């Protein structure tokens, strides 16, 4: 450290020190909440409320996790979420890429009309009730299709991917390939897709996160609890501890109910965000490259 | 280009027609459901209600962790007795309001909403536009249980009748009077004993006790960690609204009380100001009030009673054990209303009460309203009502020798609240258990009985005579109330907190009154007065 400081000018050294300090603080700010959730999930809820838990678990308990692992609705939700995220991502990425590639090609007739048509949907939507009626009349209510199909093609994503194709797949490549007798389909599968891994990774991440965290569609379209995704199950557990005058009449044990809820709250957050935490490092290396190129107009 | 758009437009229009045509067909098929057969199938009295099974689609909220109603024993029994099959669409109660509005707005209507939670506003507006149907004729013809009840209790009938004379929603009520005073005021008796103080009777004695809690280390751990008084600002059952009674005018969450048929807005009265000054000067300034009382949530509040060393001196909550746990509960006692500086000793009576009006509605899509009414009337038979509200026979109750429903012991490890919401739809469901039914038809839960006793012993002798009843307002009146009240109450509550914490009630009082005037306080109180006058006039008829 000393020798490192010596080789630099005084100003540079200070710059580094301040820089590192700032970055460390920011890192802690980002990491601590996550860490707190972990610690809190292992602590007695009463200590959490009295503010005594902050660095280490206090009143260590695994009750929360035990309850989570024994609650079937959370596991059903988990399974559903994985199913929706996988299926939704497959459909979503496919639709996005299939829409974006032709739009990136100069030789597509009526390109601007289609683009204009797509853009309009970014600004105007039917609204909740017409959308609900549409889904109902398509007989998609209470099926997983109501969750994975309507949101499949995001125009914003199509634009990002289209720009990526335009800027990273030169027309000359298609010319060269077609001279060698390559068909459009072959070109797309053998050349375009392998060259676009980074934007595909970004799309996968966007979609997975979107489906994983989404609960509103499920709330509106699903009736059957066995189809609920994890976030909705979670939400039902978390929102239910409010004191109101109805309770007076019920004379039920509010504190006991709430303790259970609080006990599993943090554990559930851990369990539900784990897949994303695991997924992210694998996609992260593509992330910067994909978004940067995709978002700069080429 | 132009022709292309035209083409697209035509395709879209055609699509829209196709879709609307589709749904239209579905509806008319539903409505026609063979009426002569239907009549032959229907029994006007007795059980089963229909010879051949009939299905109805009902939407209902349920506790988030409860099973679907179709799996509940009580509804299985009903189906067996009546031969009416209910296709339940259960929505977790936390999402119910959103989904109900969506169904109503989109016209995707079930045959009925059960435990419907319709507001007065919704009852009148959806009643007016025909989305839900008036029920009074159906009640007369097909609901002997409910009709008998309404004939016996005109007050219930008048309170579920809309201003336009129709009954749109069926009632839900447990008339146990437990909600009259939600603010149970608790003090640490073992500390009082230790410090050689008697249980406070007056406000000044109470202040003295709080001060002793703070300064004389009653928990004996050598630290000044005692919290003399903790509460939750303007929260049901946790606020100090009851303590305002020591100055002659108890407060409540609406700041609205009734004396001799006159509506009074408490938060502009001199007694209220005097109380605020007292609380600031004597309590807040000297550190007797837990500063977190104004910000904490229930979880934090409840944790305060369960710290390693006993730290809570006095608090407000409707059950002692909930806050401090069963072990410590014996250290704490309830306080009757304290006698104020001018000798006043009174406690408020919570507003509202009376039957919920919107617990069951039948929609215009229902092609079997008579069957539906006969089905729901089963639940207005007192024994059935009790089972619907708290749980079925042989699971929660058994019948004793007098035919009364008495509680069976709970299964091991289950709390009453958790267990009951799994076996019965609960308190929002249709059905009325009247005051007379308690003790004759059904026993109150043990904890409710305790509560009733506590109320009797500590609070009833000092309680205000009147309250503001649950009045069915006209839509225009509701509009005005909804426009004025939320903002106004929010302002009053913020100021109340400020006056207790920072003081200055005297100096800022005129300004405060002027702001309230500007916000429409006068108009609001006039509406409430008109409503009350109308209600009282109706009672005499």
């Amino acid at each position: 450290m000393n020798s490192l400081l010596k080789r630099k000018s005084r100003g540079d050294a200070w710059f580094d020190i301040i820089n590192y300090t700032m970055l460390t603080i920011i890192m802690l700010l980002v990491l601590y909440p996550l860490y707190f959730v972990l610690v809190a999930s292992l602590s007695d809820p009463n200590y959490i409320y009295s503010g005594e838990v902050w660095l280490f678990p206090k009143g260590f308990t695994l009750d929360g996790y035990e309850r989570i692992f024994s609650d079937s609705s959370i596991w059903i939700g988990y399974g559903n979420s994985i199913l929706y995220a996988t299926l939704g991502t497959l459909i979503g990425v496919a639709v996005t890429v299939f829409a974006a590639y032709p739009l990136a090609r100069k030789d597509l007739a009526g390109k601007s009309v289609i683009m204009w048509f797509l853009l309009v949907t970014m600004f105007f939507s039917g609204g909740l009730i017409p959308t609900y009626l549409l889904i109902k009349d398509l007989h998609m209510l209470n099926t997983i299709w109501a969750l994975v199909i309507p949101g499949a093609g995001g125009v914003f994503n199509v634009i990002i991917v289209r720009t990526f194709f335009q800027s990273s797949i030169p027309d000359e490549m298609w010319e060269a390939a077609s001279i060698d007798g390559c068909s459009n389909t072959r070109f797309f599968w053998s050349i375009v897709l392998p060259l676009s891994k980074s934007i595909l990774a970004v799309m996968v991440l966007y979609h997975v996160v979107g489906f994983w965290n989404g609960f509103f569609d499920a709330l509106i379209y699903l009736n059957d609890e066995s189809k609920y995704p994890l976030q909705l199950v979670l939400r039902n557990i978390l929102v239910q501890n409010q004191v109101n005058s109805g309770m007076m009449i019920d004379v039920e044990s509010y504190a006991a109910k709430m303790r259970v809820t609080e006990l599993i709250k943090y554990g559930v957050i851990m369990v539900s965000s784990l897949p994303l935490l695991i997924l992210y490092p694998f996609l992260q290396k593509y992330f910067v490259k994909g978004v940067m190129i995709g978002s700069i107009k080429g | 280009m132009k022709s292309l758009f035209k083409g697209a437009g035509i395709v879209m229009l055609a699509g829209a027609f196709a879709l609307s045509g589709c749904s239209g067909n579905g509806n008319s098929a539903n409505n026609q459901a063979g009426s002569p057969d239907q009549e032959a199938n229907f029994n006007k009295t007795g059980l089963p209600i229909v010879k051949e099974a009939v299905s109805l689609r009902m939407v209902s909220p349920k506790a988030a962790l409860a099973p679907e109603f179709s799996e509940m024993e009580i509804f299985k029994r009903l189906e067996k007795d009546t031969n009416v099959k209910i296709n339940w669409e259960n929505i977790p109660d936390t999402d119910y309001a959103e989904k109900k509005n969506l169904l109503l707005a989109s016209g995707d209507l079930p045959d009925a909403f059960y435990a419907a939670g319709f507001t007065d506003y919704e009852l009148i507006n959806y009643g007016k536009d025909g989305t839900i149907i008036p029920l009074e004729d159906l009640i007369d013809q097909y609901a002997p249980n409910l009709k008998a009840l309404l004939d016996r209790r005109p007050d219930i009938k008048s309170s579920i009748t809309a201003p336009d004379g129709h009954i749109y929603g069926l009632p839900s009520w447990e008339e146990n009077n437990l909600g009259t005073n939600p603010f149970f005021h608790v003090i640490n008796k073992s500390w009082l004993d230790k410090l050689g103080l008697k249980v406070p009777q007056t406000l000044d004695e109470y202040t003295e006790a709080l001060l002793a809690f703070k300064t004389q280390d009653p928990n004996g751990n050598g630290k000044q960690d005692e919290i003399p008084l903790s509460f939750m600002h303007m929260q049901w059952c946790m606020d100090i609204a009851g303590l305002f009674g020591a100055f002659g005018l108890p407060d409540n969450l609406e700041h609205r009380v009734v004396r001799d048929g006159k509506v009074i807005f408490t938060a502009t009265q001199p007694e209220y100001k005097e109380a605020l000054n007292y609380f600031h000067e004597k309590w807040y300034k000297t550190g007797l009030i837990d500063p977190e009382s104004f910000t904490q949530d229930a979880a934090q509040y409840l944790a305060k009673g369960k710290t390693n060393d006993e730290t809570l001196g006095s608090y407000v909550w409707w059950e002692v054990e909930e806050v401090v746990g069963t072990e410590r509960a014996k250290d704490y006692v309830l306080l009757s209303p304290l006698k104020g500086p001018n000798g006043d000793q009174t406690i408020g009576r919570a507003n509202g009460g009376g039957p919920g009006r919107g617990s069951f509605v039948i929609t215009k899509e229902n092609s079997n309203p008579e069957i539906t009414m006969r089905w729901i009337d089963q639940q207005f038979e007192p024994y059935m009502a009790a089972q619907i509200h708290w749980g079925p026979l042989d699971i929660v109750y058994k019948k004793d020798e007098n035919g009364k429903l008495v509680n069976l012991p709970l299964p091991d490890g289950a709390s009453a609240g958790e267990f009951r919401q799994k076996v019965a739809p609960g308190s929002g469901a249709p059905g009325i258990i009247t005051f007379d039914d308690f003790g004759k038809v059904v026993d109150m839960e043990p904890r409710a009985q305790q509560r009733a006793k506590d109320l009797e012993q500590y609070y009833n002798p000092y309680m205000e005579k009147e309250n503001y009843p649950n009045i069915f307002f006209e839509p225009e009146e509701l509009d005005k109330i909804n426009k004025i009240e939320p903002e106004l109450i929010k302002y009053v509550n913020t100021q109340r907190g400020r006056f207790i914490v920072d003081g200055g009630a005297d100096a800022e009082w005129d300004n405060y009154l002027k702001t309230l005037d500007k916000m429409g306080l006068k108009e609001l109180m006039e509406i409430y007065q008109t409503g009350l006058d109308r209600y009282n006039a109706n009672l005499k008829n």
Side-chain angles (χ1 to χ4, degrees), chain B residues 180-220:
Chain B
T180 46
N181 167 38
F183 306 111
F184 276 41
H185 189 189
V186 185
I187 194 164
N188 193 325
K189 173 84 163 44
S190 79
W191 286 7
L192 288 173
D193 293 344
K194 206 185 239 175
L195 299 170
L197 296 166
K198 59 183 178 55
V199 177
Q201 305 287 326
T202 70
L203 200 63
D204 290 332
E205 283 171 19
Y206 179 69
T207 308
E208 234 168 80
L210 292 184
L211 200 63
F213 287 171
K214 185 177 169 66
T215 51
Q216 298 181 26
D217 191 29
N219 66 7

Short mmCIF file of all heavy atoms in Angstrom, two decimals, chain B residues 180-220:
data_model
loop_
_atom_site.label_atom_id
_atom_site.label_comp_id
_atom_site.label_asym_id
_atom_site.label_seq_id
_atom_site.Cartn_x
_atom_site.Cartn_y
_atom_site.Cartn_z
N THR B 180 -68.09 -1.49 21.82
CA THR B 180 -68.52 -0.17 22.30
C THR B 180 -67.35 0.69 22.76
O THR B 180 -67.33 1.87 22.51
CB THR B 180 -69.50 -0.32 23.47
OG1 THR B 180 -68.98 -1.28 24.37
CG2 THR B 180 -70.86 -0.75 22.98
N ASN B 181 -66.40 0.08 23.48
CA ASN B 181 -65.21 0.85 23.82
C ASN B 181 -63.98 0.04 23.44
O ASN B 181 -63.66 -0.94 24.10
CB ASN B 181 -65.15 1.17 25.31
CG ASN B 181 -63.77 1.68 25.70
OD1 ASN B 181 -63.15 2.42 24.95
ND2 ASN B 181 -63.29 1.26 26.85
N PRO B 182 -63.30 0.42 22.37
CA PRO B 182 -62.15 -0.37 21.95
C PRO B 182 -60.88 -0.05 22.74
O PRO B 182 -59.91 -0.78 22.65
CB PRO B 182 -61.98 0.03 20.49
CG PRO B 182 -62.53 1.41 20.41
CD PRO B 182 -63.61 1.51 21.45
N PHE B 183 -60.91 1.03 23.50
CA PHE B 183 -59.66 1.51 24.12
C PHE B 183 -59.52 0.99 25.54
O PHE B 183 -59.94 1.64 26.49
CB PHE B 183 -59.60 3.03 24.10
CG PHE B 183 -59.79 3.61 22.73
CD1 PHE B 183 -60.94 4.32 22.42
CD2 PHE B 183 -58.84 3.44 21.74
CE1 PHE B 183 -61.12 4.85 21.15
CE2 PHE B 183 -59.01 3.97 20.48
CZ PHE B 183 -60.16 4.68 20.19
N PHE B 184 -58.96 -0.21 25.67
CA PHE B 184 -58.73 -0.79 26.99
C PHE B 184 -57.41 -0.26 27.54
O PHE B 184 -56.36 -0.53 26.98
CB PHE B 184 -58.72 -2.32 26.91
CG PHE B 184 -60.08 -2.93 26.96
CD1 PHE B 184 -61.13 -2.36 26.28
CD2 PHE B 184 -60.32 -4.08 27.70
CE1 PHE B 184 -62.40 -2.92 26.31
CE2 PHE B 184 -61.59 -4.64 27.74
CZ PHE B 184 -62.62 -4.06 27.05
N HIS B 185 -57.50 0.43 28.66
CA HIS B 185 -56.34 1.13 29.19
C HIS B 185 -55.71 0.28 30.29
O HIS B 185 -56.37 -0.08 31.26
CB HIS B 185 -56.84 2.48 29.73
CG HIS B 185 -55.73 3.41 30.12
ND1 HIS B 185 -55.95 4.58 30.78
CD2 HIS B 185 -54.41 3.33 29.93
CE1 HIS B 185 -54.80 5.18 30.98
NE2 HIS B 185 -53.85 4.45 30.48
N VAL B 186 -54.45 -0.04 30.13
CA VAL B 186 -53.78 -1.03 30.98
C VAL B 186 -52.64 -0.37 31.75
O VAL B 186 -51.94 0.50 31.22
CB VAL B 186 -53.21 -2.18 30.13
CG1 VAL B 186 -52.63 -3.26 31.01
CG2 VAL B 186 -54.27 -2.74 29.20
N ILE B 187 -52.47 -0.78 33.02
CA ILE B 187 -51.34 -0.25 33.79
C ILE B 187 -50.64 -1.40 34.51
O ILE B 187 -51.25 -2.43 34.83
CB ILE B 187 -51.81 0.83 34.79
CG1 ILE B 187 -50.60 1.61 35.32
CG2 ILE B 187 -52.61 0.22 35.94
CD1 ILE B 187 -50.95 2.91 36.01
N ASN B 188 -49.35 -1.22 34.77
CA ASN B 188 -48.54 -2.25 35.41
C ASN B 188 -48.74 -2.23 36.92
O ASN B 188 -48.18 -1.40 37.64
CB ASN B 188 -47.06 -2.00 35.07
CG ASN B 188 -46.20 -3.19 35.41
OD1 ASN B 188 -46.45 -3.88 36.40
ND2 ASN B 188 -45.18 -3.42 34.60
N LYS B 189 -49.56 -3.17 37.40
CA LYS B 189 -49.94 -3.18 38.81
C LYS B 189 -48.74 -3.60 39.68
O LYS B 189 -48.56 -3.11 40.80
CB LYS B 189 -51.11 -4.16 39.00
CG LYS B 189 -51.52 -4.43 40.43
CD LYS B 189 -52.47 -3.34 40.91
CE LYS B 189 -53.25 -3.74 42.17
NZ LYS B 189 -52.53 -4.39 43.23
N SER B 190 -47.91 -4.49 39.19
CA SER B 190 -46.79 -4.96 40.02
C SER B 190 -45.79 -3.83 40.26
O SER B 190 -45.18 -3.74 41.31
CB SER B 190 -46.12 -6.17 39.39
OG SER B 190 -45.26 -5.78 38.36
N TRP B 191 -45.65 -2.94 39.29
CA TRP B 191 -44.79 -1.77 39.51
C TRP B 191 -45.42 -0.84 40.54
O TRP B 191 -44.73 -0.31 41.40
CB TRP B 191 -44.59 -1.00 38.20
CG TRP B 191 -43.65 -1.68 37.23
CD1 TRP B 191 -43.10 -2.92 37.35
CD2 TRP B 191 -43.16 -1.13 36.01
NE1 TRP B 191 -42.32 -3.19 36.28
CE2 TRP B 191 -42.32 -2.11 35.43
CE3 TRP B 191 -43.34 0.09 35.34
CZ2 TRP B 191 -41.66 -1.90 34.22
CZ3 TRP B 191 -42.69 0.29 34.14
CH2 TRP B 191 -41.85 -0.70 33.58
N LEU B 192 -46.74 -0.64 40.39
CA LEU B 192 -47.43 0.24 41.35
C LEU B 192 -47.21 -0.29 42.77
O LEU B 192 -46.88 0.46 43.70
CB LEU B 192 -48.93 0.29 41.06
CG LEU B 192 -49.36 1.05 39.81
CD1 LEU B 192 -50.86 0.86 39.57
CD2 LEU B 192 -49.04 2.53 39.93
N ASP B 193 -47.37 -1.61 42.94
CA ASP B 193 -47.18 -2.22 44.26
C ASP B 193 -45.76 -1.99 44.75
O ASP B 193 -45.53 -1.62 45.90
CB ASP B 193 -47.47 -3.72 44.20
CG ASP B 193 -48.94 -4.00 43.93
OD1 ASP B 193 -49.75 -3.06 44.10
OD2 ASP B 193 -49.27 -5.13 43.55
N LYS B 194 -44.81 -2.21 43.87
CA LYS B 194 -43.42 -2.07 44.25
C LYS B 194 -43.11 -0.65 44.71
O LYS B 194 -42.35 -0.43 45.64
CB LYS B 194 -42.55 -2.42 43.03
CG LYS B 194 -41.16 -2.93 43.40
CD LYS B 194 -40.36 -3.11 42.14
CE LYS B 194 -39.90 -4.54 41.96
NZ LYS B 194 -39.24 -4.71 40.67
N LEU B 195 -43.73 0.31 44.01
CA LEU B 195 -43.45 1.71 44.33
C LEU B 195 -44.38 2.24 45.43
O LEU B 195 -44.31 3.42 45.77
CB LEU B 195 -43.62 2.57 43.07
CG LEU B 195 -42.69 2.22 41.90
CD1 LEU B 195 -43.11 2.96 40.65
CD2 LEU B 195 -41.24 2.55 42.26
N GLY B 196 -45.23 1.38 45.96
CA GLY B 196 -46.13 1.79 47.03
C GLY B 196 -47.21 2.75 46.56
O GLY B 196 -47.68 3.60 47.33
N LEU B 197 -47.64 2.62 45.29
CA LEU B 197 -48.72 3.48 44.79
C LEU B 197 -49.99 2.65 44.64
O LEU B 197 -49.94 1.45 44.40
CB LEU B 197 -48.33 4.04 43.42
CG LEU B 197 -47.12 4.96 43.39
CD1 LEU B 197 -46.65 5.15 41.96
CD2 LEU B 197 -47.46 6.31 44.02
N LYS B 198 -51.14 3.32 44.81
CA LYS B 198 -52.37 2.58 44.56
C LYS B 198 -52.81 2.79 43.11
O LYS B 198 -52.29 3.67 42.42
CB LYS B 198 -53.46 2.98 45.55
CG LYS B 198 -53.85 4.45 45.54
CD LYS B 198 -54.88 4.64 46.64
CE LYS B 198 -55.35 6.08 46.80
NZ LYS B 198 -55.88 6.75 45.66
N VAL B 199 -53.72 1.94 42.66
CA VAL B 199 -54.18 2.06 41.28
C VAL B 199 -54.82 3.44 41.08
O VAL B 199 -55.71 3.81 41.83
CB VAL B 199 -55.19 0.95 40.96
CG1 VAL B 199 -55.72 1.11 39.55
CG2 VAL B 199 -54.57 -0.42 41.15
N PRO B 200 -54.33 4.19 40.10
CA PRO B 200 -54.81 5.57 39.94
C PRO B 200 -56.31 5.65 39.69
O PRO B 200 -56.86 4.84 38.94
CB PRO B 200 -54.05 6.06 38.71
CG PRO B 200 -52.95 5.11 38.50
CD PRO B 200 -53.32 3.82 39.13
N GLN B 201 -56.94 6.60 40.33
CA GLN B 201 -58.36 6.86 40.11
C GLN B 201 -58.54 8.16 39.32
O GLN B 201 -59.52 8.32 38.62
CB GLN B 201 -59.11 7.03 41.45
CG GLN B 201 -58.93 5.87 42.40
CD GLN B 201 -59.70 4.65 41.95
OE1 GLN B 201 -60.77 4.77 41.37
NE2 GLN B 201 -59.15 3.48 42.20
N THR B 202 -57.60 9.08 39.51
CA THR B 202 -57.71 10.36 38.82
C THR B 202 -56.55 10.54 37.87
O THR B 202 -55.55 9.84 37.95
CB THR B 202 -57.68 11.53 39.81
OG1 THR B 202 -56.35 11.63 40.33
CG2 THR B 202 -58.64 11.32 40.95
N LEU B 203 -56.73 11.48 36.98
CA LEU B 203 -55.71 11.75 35.97
C LEU B 203 -54.41 12.16 36.63
O LEU B 203 -53.32 11.76 36.20
CB LEU B 203 -56.22 12.84 35.03
CG LEU B 203 -55.53 12.90 33.68
CD1 LEU B 203 -55.76 11.61 32.91
CD2 LEU B 203 -56.03 14.09 32.89
N ASP B 204 -54.50 12.96 37.69
CA ASP B 204 -53.27 13.42 38.34
C ASP B 204 -52.54 12.28 39.04
O ASP B 204 -51.31 12.20 38.99
CB ASP B 204 -53.59 14.55 39.32
CG ASP B 204 -54.00 15.81 38.58
OD1 ASP B 204 -53.55 15.98 37.42
OD2 ASP B 204 -54.80 16.60 39.13
N GLU B 205 -53.30 11.38 39.66
CA GLU B 205 -52.65 10.20 40.25
C GLU B 205 -51.97 9.37 39.19
O GLU B 205 -50.88 8.81 39.39
CB GLU B 205 -53.69 9.34 40.98
CG GLU B 205 -54.12 9.88 42.33
CD GLU B 205 -55.31 9.12 42.90
OE1 GLU B 205 -55.56 7.98 42.47
OE2 GLU B 205 -55.99 9.67 43.78
N TYR B 206 -52.61 9.31 38.05
CA TYR B 206 -52.05 8.53 36.94
C TYR B 206 -50.74 9.15 36.48
O TYR B 206 -49.73 8.48 36.26
CB TYR B 206 -53.08 8.46 35.82
CG TYR B 206 -52.63 7.70 34.59
CD1 TYR B 206 -52.44 6.33 34.63
CD2 TYR B 206 -52.39 8.36 33.38
CE1 TYR B 206 -52.04 5.63 33.51
CE2 TYR B 206 -52.00 7.66 32.26
CZ TYR B 206 -51.82 6.30 32.32
OH TYR B 206 -51.41 5.61 31.20
N THR B 207 -50.77 10.49 36.34
CA THR B 207 -49.55 11.19 35.94
C THR B 207 -48.44 10.92 36.93
O THR B 207 -47.29 10.68 36.54
CB THR B 207 -49.83 12.70 35.87
OG1 THR B 207 -50.97 12.91 35.05
CG2 THR B 207 -48.65 13.45 35.29
N GLU B 208 -48.78 10.97 38.20
CA GLU B 208 -47.80 10.68 39.25
C GLU B 208 -47.20 9.29 39.07
O GLU B 208 -45.99 9.09 39.17
CB GLU B 208 -48.52 10.70 40.60
CG GLU B 208 -47.93 11.61 41.65
CD GLU B 208 -48.94 11.74 42.80
OE1 GLU B 208 -48.97 10.81 43.62
OE2 GLU B 208 -49.70 12.74 42.82
N ALA B 209 -48.08 8.33 38.82
CA ALA B 209 -47.62 6.96 38.64
C ALA B 209 -46.68 6.85 37.45
O ALA B 209 -45.62 6.22 37.53
CB ALA B 209 -48.82 6.03 38.45
N LEU B 210 -47.05 7.51 36.35
CA LEU B 210 -46.18 7.46 35.17
C LEU B 210 -44.81 8.03 35.48
O LEU B 210 -43.77 7.50 35.08
CB LEU B 210 -46.81 8.24 34.01
CG LEU B 210 -48.08 7.70 33.37
CD1 LEU B 210 -48.49 8.56 32.18
CD2 LEU B 210 -47.91 6.26 32.93
N LEU B 211 -44.83 9.13 36.22
CA LEU B 211 -43.57 9.79 36.57
C LEU B 211 -42.71 8.86 37.44
O LEU B 211 -41.50 8.75 37.26
CB LEU B 211 -43.87 11.09 37.32
CG LEU B 211 -42.73 12.11 37.34
CD1 LEU B 211 -42.43 12.57 35.93
CD2 LEU B 211 -43.12 13.30 38.21
N ALA B 212 -43.37 8.17 38.37
CA ALA B 212 -42.64 7.24 39.23
C ALA B 212 -42.07 6.10 38.39
O ALA B 212 -40.94 5.66 38.61
CB ALA B 212 -43.58 6.69 40.31
N PHE B 213 -42.85 5.62 37.41
CA PHE B 213 -42.35 4.57 36.52
C PHE B 213 -41.07 5.00 35.86
O PHE B 213 -40.12 4.24 35.73
CB PHE B 213 -43.37 4.25 35.41
CG PHE B 213 -44.58 3.49 35.89
CD1 PHE B 213 -45.65 3.30 35.05
CD2 PHE B 213 -44.63 2.96 37.18
CE1 PHE B 213 -46.77 2.60 35.46
CE2 PHE B 213 -45.74 2.26 37.60
CZ PHE B 213 -46.81 2.08 36.75
N LYS B 214 -41.06 6.26 35.44
CA LYS B 214 -39.93 6.73 34.67
C LYS B 214 -38.69 6.90 35.54
O LYS B 214 -37.59 6.57 35.13
CB LYS B 214 -40.28 8.06 33.99
CG LYS B 214 -39.19 8.55 33.07
CD LYS B 214 -39.59 9.83 32.37
CE LYS B 214 -38.40 10.44 31.66
NZ LYS B 214 -37.93 9.61 30.54
N THR B 215 -38.89 7.43 36.72
CA THR B 215 -37.72 7.87 37.51
C THR B 215 -37.26 6.86 38.55
O THR B 215 -36.12 6.91 38.99
CB THR B 215 -38.03 9.19 38.23
OG1 THR B 215 -39.26 9.02 38.94
CG2 THR B 215 -38.19 10.32 37.24
N GLN B 216 -38.13 5.95 38.98
CA GLN B 216 -37.73 5.15 40.14
C GLN B 216 -37.37 3.70 39.79
O GLN B 216 -37.33 2.84 40.67
CB GLN B 216 -38.85 5.17 41.19
CG GLN B 216 -39.08 6.59 41.68
CD GLN B 216 -40.17 6.65 42.74
OE1 GLN B 216 -40.43 5.67 43.43
NE2 GLN B 216 -40.79 7.82 42.87
N ASP B 217 -37.09 3.44 38.52
CA ASP B 217 -36.58 2.14 38.10
C ASP B 217 -37.38 0.96 38.65
O ASP B 217 -36.82 0.08 39.31
CB ASP B 217 -35.11 2.02 38.52
CG ASP B 217 -34.44 0.81 37.87
OD1 ASP B 217 -34.89 0.44 36.76
OD2 ASP B 217 -33.53 0.24 38.47
N PRO B 218 -38.66 0.90 38.37
CA PRO B 218 -39.47 -0.17 38.94
C PRO B 218 -39.07 -1.57 38.46
O PRO B 218 -39.34 -2.54 39.16
CB PRO B 218 -40.89 0.15 38.52
CG PRO B 218 -40.75 1.07 37.37
CD PRO B 218 -39.49 1.81 37.55
N ASN B 219 -38.43 -1.70 37.29
CA ASN B 219 -38.06 -3.06 36.89
C ASN B 219 -36.70 -3.48 37.46
O ASN B 219 -36.24 -4.60 37.26
CB ASN B 219 -38.11 -3.24 35.37
CG ASN B 219 -37.09 -2.40 34.64
OD1 ASN B 219 -36.22 -1.77 35.26
ND2 ASN B 219 -37.17 -2.40 33.32
N GLY B 220 -36.08 -2.55 38.20
CA GLY B 220 -34.91 -2.90 38.99
C GLY B 220 -33.68 -3.33 38.23
O GLY B 220 -32.85 -4.06 38.76
#
